[in-house]
Amino acid sequence: MLEKFGERGKERCHEDNHYHMKYLETTYKLDNLKIFTDYALWLNNLLTSRGMKTQHIIDNFNFIQEALFELDNYGDKQVQAYVTYLEEANHILKQQQL
């Protein structure tokens, strides 16, 4: 990924992850999964129009899940909800690839 998108792409990924976390938080606070899945679909449309692949988003969401699994407070209800939201978004994104 770094070879294809360079340092600028790396910076964008960092920014995107910040937005992903904000959307996860909002989804949790409003208890509305559709907020995150709609965001994931919007993000997919935006990024694929700029040369990325849906799989890049899926992979990134998987990396976020892995990081959440490693948290000391993984058993926390909010953290587990985030994992569920990411799983559901990935499920929907995988359907977009078909």
Side-chain angles (χ1 to χ4, degrees), residues 18-85:
H18 175 76
Y19 289 118
H20 303 337
M21 297 308 293
K22 294 302 269 179
Y23 270 89
L24 287 168
E25 181 181 26
T26 300
T27 299
Y28 181 78
K29 285 181 178 178
L30 298 178
D31 192 24
N32 185 348
L33 174 62
K34 190 166 175 23
I35 292 169
F36 194 74
T37 56
D38 284 353
Y39 165 72
L41 290 170
W42 170 82
L43 180 68
N44 185 53
N45 288 333
L46 177 73
L47 295 181
T48 56
S49 74
R50 294 188 169 136
M52 291 192 68
K53 297 188 181 322
T54 300
Q55 190 61 47
H56 295 146
I57 301 165
I58 292 169
D59 291 344
N60 193 31
F61 284 175
N62 285 335
F63 292 138
I64 293 170
Q65 282 181 298
E66 289 174 19
L68 291 171
F69 290 143
E70 294 176 8
L71 292 176
D72 289 337
N73 64 337
Y74 174 72
D76 181 78
K77 181 180 173 185
Q78 185 172 354
V79 174
Q80 289 186 347
Y82 286 9
V83 170
T84 300
Y85 305 154

